[in-house]
């Protein structure tokens, strides 16, 4: 792998309480330029928090409590906020899970795009406006010129999300953290957005961290995929390895739970139980209470993510033959 | 499809939005009024205890349809019938039907008031419809609902922002279930959920359907989920219903060219590293829909007639309907 564009080293995030709780615990992830890294995992596993930590957008009661975050050879987690502000939106952009939080309801889409473009690029109003229309076209919004005049509420959910993507692309970033960018979109628009992200990564050497629940999207778009569970890395590796031969019992359960066209099952295979709350994590492997392969050792000893064959890292005692 | 009386049916339902710029801008720039036909003459029926899935491109009017059915906005034209009787849920006149028809939203933020605790949000319909006699009983019922959707009764005292996106959607499902609906409109209910929680919520919805005899309108952009959940599937394009068939026939033998393309682009685990070729052509603007068949600029089978004449929904021999000249002429 070439020098990483993004290097997350042993990242921990805490929920400040009387007794601090670990929302993220020792996450290691690397992303090369031109690469798309998928991040999957149970709801509440810490995917969005990971993205927010990289953007330095954690808000109280959440705070980074350990580890380092490097962007293109520069450590950014300790960088003064004034410098970080220059990176944010320009070099590193985020596409949020909820399009409404990223759009201001009282300004037209055009006003918001033009403002963001001019903040990052040396363009006059007319040029920024032309660029804004181009961006809307690029993300597949018809009648782009006219749509600049509309307010966010006048768009459908999917179109709003495409506007958010256009906003993220406005500063021509080198790293995009996309948090569920296509969840609200139908397949044909989703395919367009994914194709757009793939193309931008290949042509511009942009890196993308793609947080999504859609394993189909992961399969099609990502080079590597990381599986998070309860704030910890369960498995990370090349997409083909992880999807066709998942090693961690949680990854196996996750992949089995995906509905497949034509299967016509009455019920979907379900991982029994729910992910433990972060204030009630078991002492050993966080997945132990739900794991069909659990051993005594798992209940008391926490497995670390360890490199295995096929370029995969797995945090599971089964791999150790314990 | 059975001949039983449908629980819900709509006939020629339409909804327009005026998205014109302000009057003065319009006059200065000599622009005409701009009307979006978000729903255009949509008709279908859902039998009791069955699930109609609904798919279609972003902006094609799925949420608008859901909102009209739930009485959250009045349609501009057409009728909705509930158990055979025409109803107008946008007025306050139908308390019984309003309780029986509930909705789970695409955006979990939309269905939960951020200033209300989960207990208040989920308990509100219980008190409003008199299903809980006292606050204590309400609290108990909320606790049971939380367990039903895979959360803990303890979570009921928290506020929406204290949950992850997926946890919030489960709370929204709990709130919709609280009033013991007969007809549940689900607008992308699991698109914010990870696959294992999705499996749990879909299994839960199946179980509740069996237990309480629920009828669903299930909207999702995820075709595999729609395939899994639905008895029949409707496909919308630019405000119109272009095809409706029993699920198996729709997936095995899609008739409308748009449906065929949709089914080809379903992302799946079998397509590793091979982003499916996105649908060609610009997405048509709902502000300025193409004449004739709205799909004609992107359709590989379009001919002269398709560019001029709008195809009407016609019955298919095996049940279902399709609106396509090519199919009607036997070309497709
Ligand atoms: N502002 C906050 N205050 C308190 N806890 C929070 C806050 N934001 C997140 N959390 C907690 O941190 C954990 C991780 O949340 P996060 O939003 O990263 O989950 P996620 O993996 O993105 O889930 P989803 O798939 O549902 O979006 C959860 O347990 C959540 O409850
Ligand atoms: N309140 C509104 N004012 C103006 N136009 C609207 C309004 N609500 C929806 N529209 C328009 O109506 C059309 C249909 O929107 P709708 O939200 O029903 O689409 P959808 O099929 O649910 O899309 P998605 O899959 O993206 O959620 C879109 O063109 C949208 O811009
Ligand atoms: S470490 Fe043990 S409990 Fe954890 S996933 Fe592996 S087998 Fe299951
Ligand atoms: Mg999230
Ligand atoms: Mg919608």
């Amino acid at each position: 792998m070439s020098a990483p564009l993004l290097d997350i080293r042993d990242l921990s995030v805490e929920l400040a309480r009387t007794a601090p709780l670990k929302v993220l615990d020792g996450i290691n992830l690397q992303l090369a330029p031109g690469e798309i890294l998928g991040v999957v995992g149970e709801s509440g596993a810490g995917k969005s928090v990971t993205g927010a930590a990289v953007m330095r957008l954690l808000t109280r009661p959440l705070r980074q409590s350990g580890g380092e975050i490097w962007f293109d050879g520069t450590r950014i987690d300790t960088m003064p906020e004034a410098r970080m502000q220059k990176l944010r939106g320009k070099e590193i952009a985020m596409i949020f899970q909820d399009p409404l939080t990223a759009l201001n309801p009282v300004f037209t889409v055009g006003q918001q795009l033009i403002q963001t473009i001019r903040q990052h690029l040396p363009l006059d109003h007319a040029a920024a406006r032309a660029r804004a229309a181009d961006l809307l076209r690029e993300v597949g919004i018809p009648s782009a010129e006219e749509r600049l005049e509309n307010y966010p509420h006048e768009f459908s959910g999917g179109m709003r999300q495409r506007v958010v993507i256009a906003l993220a692309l406005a500063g021509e970033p080198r790293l995009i953290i996309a948090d569920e960018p296509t969840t609200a979109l139908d397949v044909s628009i989703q395919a367009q957005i994914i194709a757009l992200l793939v193309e931008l990564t290949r042509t511009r050497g942009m890196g993308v961290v793609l947080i999504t629940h859609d394993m189909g999207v992961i399969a099609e778009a990502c080079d590597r995929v990381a599986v998070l569970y309860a704030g910890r890395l369960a498995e990370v590796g090349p997409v083909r390895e992880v999807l066709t031969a998942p090693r961690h019992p949680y990854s196996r359960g996750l992949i089995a739970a995906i509905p497949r066209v034509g299967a016509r099952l009455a019920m979907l295979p379900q991982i029994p139980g729910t992910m433990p709350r972060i204030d009630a994590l078991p002492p050993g492997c966080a997945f132990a209470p739900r794991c069909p392969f659990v051993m005594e050792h798992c209940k008391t000893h926490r497995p670390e993510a360890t490199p295995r064959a096929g370029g995969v890292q797995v945090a599971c005692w089964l791999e150790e033959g314990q | 499809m059975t001949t039983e009386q449908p629980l819900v049916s709509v006939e020629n339902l339409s909804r327009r939005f005026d998205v014109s710029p302000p009057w003065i801008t319009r006059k200065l720039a000599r622009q005409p009024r701009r009307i979006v036909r978000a729903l255009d003459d949509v008709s279908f029926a859902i039998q009791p205890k069955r699930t109609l899935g609904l798919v279609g491109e972003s902006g094609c009017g799925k949420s608008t349809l859901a909102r009209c059915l739930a009485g959250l906005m009045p349609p501009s034209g057409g009728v909705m019938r509930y158990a055979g009787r025409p109803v107008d849920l946008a007025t306050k006149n139908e308390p019984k039907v309003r309780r029986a028809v509930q909705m789970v939203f695409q955006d979990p933020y939309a269905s939960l008031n951020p200033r209300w605790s989960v207990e208040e949000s989920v308990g509100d319909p219980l008190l409003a419809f008199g299903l809980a006699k006292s606050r204590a009983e309400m609290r108990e019922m909320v606790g049971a609902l939380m367990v039903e959707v895979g959360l803990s009764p303890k979570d009921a005292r928290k506020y929406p922002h204290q949950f992850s996106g997926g946890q919030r959607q489960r709370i929204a499902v709990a709130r919709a279930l609280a009033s013991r609906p007969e007809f549940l409109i689900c607008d992308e209910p699991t698109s914010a959920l990870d696959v294992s929680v999705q499996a749990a919520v879909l299994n839960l919805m199946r179980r509740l359907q069996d237990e309480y005899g629920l009828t669903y309108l299930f909207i999702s952009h995820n075709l595999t989920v729609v395939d899994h959940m639905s008895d029949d599937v409707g496909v919308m394009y630019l405000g119109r219903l272009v095809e409706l068939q029993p699920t198996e026939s729709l997936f095995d033998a899609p008739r409308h060219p748009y449906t065929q393309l949709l089914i080809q682009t379903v992302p799946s685990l079998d397509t590793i590293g091979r982003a499916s070729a996105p649908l060609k052509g610009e997405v048509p603007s709902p502000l300025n829909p193409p004449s004739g068949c709205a799909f004609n600029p992107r359709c590989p089978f379009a001919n002269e007639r398709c560019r001029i004449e709008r195809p009407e929904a016609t019955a298919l021999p095996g049940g279902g309907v399709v609106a396509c000249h090519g199919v009607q002429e036997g070309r497709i």
Side-chain angles (χ1 to χ4, degrees):
Chain A
M1 188 159 109
S2 50
L5 180 67
L6 175 69
D7 191 357
I8 300 175
R9 301 181 190 165
D10 212 18
L11 174 69
S12 294
V13 170
E14 255 177 20
L15 189 59
R17 289 264 177 81
T18 34
L21 298 168
K22 286 214 163 154
V23 170
L24 288 183
D25 195 350
I27 301 288
N28 282 292
L29 287 173
Q30 284 76 37
L31 176 76
E35 190 182 45
I36 305 186
L37 171 71
V39 179
V40 299
E42 198 102 344
S43 175
K47 303 180 296 294
S48 297
V49 168
T50 307
V54 172
M55 294 298 288
R56 296 248 314 254
L57 289 175
L58 292 175
T59 50
R60 280 162 58 88
L62 295 172
R63 66 171 196 93
Q64 186 180 339
S65 57
E68 301 174 359
I69 301 170
W70 293 71
F71 171 69
D72 198 22
T74 309
R75 186 163 174 189
I76 58 171
D77 59 309
T78 46
M79 180 182 272
E81 176 56 27
R83 265 184 76 198
M84 185 65 201
Q85 258 177 20
K86 295 217 180 78
L87 282 185
R88 199 186 289 129
K90 169 81 187 93
E91 302 277 320
I92 312 178
M94 175 131 187
I95 301 168
F96 287 94
Q97 186 164 8
D98 175 21
L100 287 180
T101 58
L103 296 172
N104 190 328
V106 303
F107 293 106
T108 65
V109 161
Q111 286 167 326
Q112 297 183 56
L113 275 168
I114 291 165
Q115 199 223 335
T116 311
I117 291 167
R118 296 196 63 191
Q119 204 176 317
H120 298 304
L121 305 175
L123 295 178
D124 64 16
H125 187 87
R129 195 188 155 82
R131 179 82 191 111
D134 282 346
L135 281 169
L136 284 191
R137 259 190 295 276
E138 235 176 295
V139 296
I141 293 200
S143 315
E145 294 281 347
E146 289 161 40
R147 283 300 203 165
L148 288 176
E149 309 301 334
N150 286 153
Y151 290 88
H153 76 269
E154 292 171 328
F155 287 80
S156 75
M159 288 158 95
R160 270 203 294 266
Q161 189 59 310
R162 282 183 273 159
V163 171
V164 171
I165 293 169
L167 267 177
L169 293 174
E172 298 177 358
R174 285 196 292 153
L175 171 64
I176 286 194
I177 313 270
D179 193 352
E180 308 277 358
T182 59
T183 355
L185 309 182
D186 64 287
V187 280
S188 81
I189 297 304
Q190 172 174 288
Q192 284 184 0
I193 300 284
I194 296 300
L196 175 71
L197 284 177
V198 171
E199 189 201 312
L200 290 169
T201 18
R202 302 290 177 258
T203 56
R204 294 204 209 160
M206 193 174 83
V208 179
V209 176
L210 181 60
I211 300 172
T212 175
H213 294 306
D214 193 326
M215 291 291 193
V217 169
I218 295 276
E220 287 191 355
C222 296
D223 303 293
R224 291 189 310 129
V225 57
V227 183
L228 291 191
Y229 189 79
R232 301 172 187 176
L233 196 61
E235 181 162 357
V236 59
V239 122
R240 183 175 299 278
E241 288 291 328
V242 177
L243 292 191
T244 56
R247 304 270 252 288
H248 195 285
Y250 174 64
S251 319
R252 296 189 213 174
L254 203 60
I255 287 162
I258 304 167
R260 284 156 213 246
V261 167
R264 313 263 140 76
L265 303 172
M267 293 286 165
L268 294 164
Q270 210 176 309
I271 305 174
T274 53
M275 193 173 68
R277 294 150 42 109
I278 47 170
D279 56 357
L281 285 182
C285 171
F287 191 58
R290 302 171 75 186
C291 181
F293 308 101
V294 62
M295 303 166 287
E296 275 314 306
H297 190 71
C298 308
K299 296 181 186 162
T300 44
H301 296 75
R302 183 177 152 185
E304 294 296 330
T306 319
R308 299 289 159 196
V312 181
Q313 291 183 38
V314 189
C316 170
W317 291 120
L318 286 175
E319 295 286 317
E320 305 280 353
Q322 276 285 335
Chain B
M1 291 186 194
T2 52
T3 48
E4 213 181 324
Q5 180 178 80
L7 181 71
V8 178
S9 65
V10 297
E11 285 152 37
N12 307 100
L13 206 69
S14 297
R15 169 74 207 199
R16 292 179 290 276
F17 292 107
D18 187 341
V19 293
S20 312
W23 177 81
I24 186 72
T25 325
R26 230 170 50 230
K27 288 292 159 215
L28 290 175
R30 292 172 195 267
Q31 287 172 345
R33 268 190 179 286
R34 312 228 52 139
I35 306 290
V36 173
R37 290 173 166 273
L39 267 189
D40 196 4
D41 264 349
V42 170
S43 306
F44 60 79
I46 315 176
Q47 305 299 330
K49 303 178 190 162
R50 313 258 303 171
T51 301
L52 174 66
L54 197 62
V55 297
E57 204 136 67
S58 170
C60 72
K62 304 180 298 294
S63 297
T64 304
L65 174 64
R67 287 170 177 278
C68 287
L69 288 185
L72 298 174
M73 66 167 58
S76 318
V79 237
M80 168 180 176
R81 286 177 202 278
Y82 193 82
R85 194 166 58 79
V87 289
D88 181 0
L89 292 188
T91 64
K92 294 258 177 271
N93 300 335
E94 302 274 356
K96 278 222 182 75
V97 184
R98 288 177 68 86
R99 181 184 71 73
V101 178
Q102 293 293 322
M103 176 154 168
V104 178
F105 292 86
Q106 180 168 8
D107 177 3
Y109 290 80
S111 45
L112 298 172
N113 184 331
R115 279 183 296 274
W116 284 12
S117 71
V118 168
E119 183 170 282
E120 288 169 302
S121 278
V122 178
D124 172 58
L126 290 172
L127 295 173
F129 295 115
L131 297 167
K133 303 282 171 285
S134 65
R135 287 203 82 81
E137 192 185 0
M138 181 271 274
R139 231 164 255 142
E140 203 163 293
M141 291 166 79
V142 170
L145 281 163
M146 295 296 280
V147 174
E148 281 265 47
V149 297
L151 294 167
S152 140
K154 272 198 287 182
D155 290 328
R157 253 161 279 148
K158 293 203 218 158
Y159 289 81
H161 74 269
Q162 290 172 291
F163 294 89
S164 74
Q167 293 165 331
R168 260 195 298 267
Q169 191 60 301
R170 284 193 264 177
I171 297 166
V173 172
R175 176 178 155 87
L177 290 176
S179 66
R180 296 195 205 131
E182 295 170 345
F183 177 46
L184 202 56
I185 301 163
C186 308
D187 190 358
E188 311 265 7
T190 62
S191 51
L193 307 185
D194 63 275
V195 283
S196 69
V197 179
Q198 167 175 284
V201 171
L202 296 180
N203 287 346
L204 167 74
M205 291 180 64
R206 271 279 173 84
R207 179 163 62 72
L208 294 166
Q209 180 163 43
D210 291 346
E211 261 168 45
Y212 302 109
L214 295 176
T215 304
Y216 290 137
L217 175 68
F218 190 91
I219 299 172
S220 175
H221 70 282
N222 187 327
L223 284 161
T224 44
V225 170
V226 165
D227 171 64
H228 174 71
M229 288 301 286
S230 313
D231 298 300
D232 302 294
V233 177
V235 181
M236 283 182 68
Y237 193 78
L238 227 62
R240 316 230 338 140
L241 191 68
V242 296
E243 180 162 2
L244 193 156
Q245 283 212 68
T247 307
E248 268 177 62
S249 336
L250 189 102
F251 279 87
D252 295 346
R255 301 303 306 275
H256 197 283
Y258 174 58
T259 317
Q260 295 179 354
L261 282 167
L262 268 190
I263 285 168
Q264 281 162 21
T265 39
V266 184
S268 90
L269 294 187
D270 314 322
T271 50
I272 292 175
R274 203 158 28 85
S276 38
L279 261 192
K280 280 204 278 301
E282 203 171 312
V283 188
S285 167
L287 285 171
N288 188 13
S291 63
C293 170
F295 190 58
N296 85 68
R298 301 164 85 185
C299 181
F301 307 100
N303 65 10
E304 218 24 57
R305 184 177 174 209
C306 302
R307 285 184 268 277
I308 299 162
E309 188 188 327
R310 192 171 87 171
E312 295 303 328
T314 33
L316 286 166
V321 291
V322 66
C324 168
H325 293 311
V327 173
Q328 278 149 36
E329 291 164 9
R331 295 188 283 121
I332 298 173

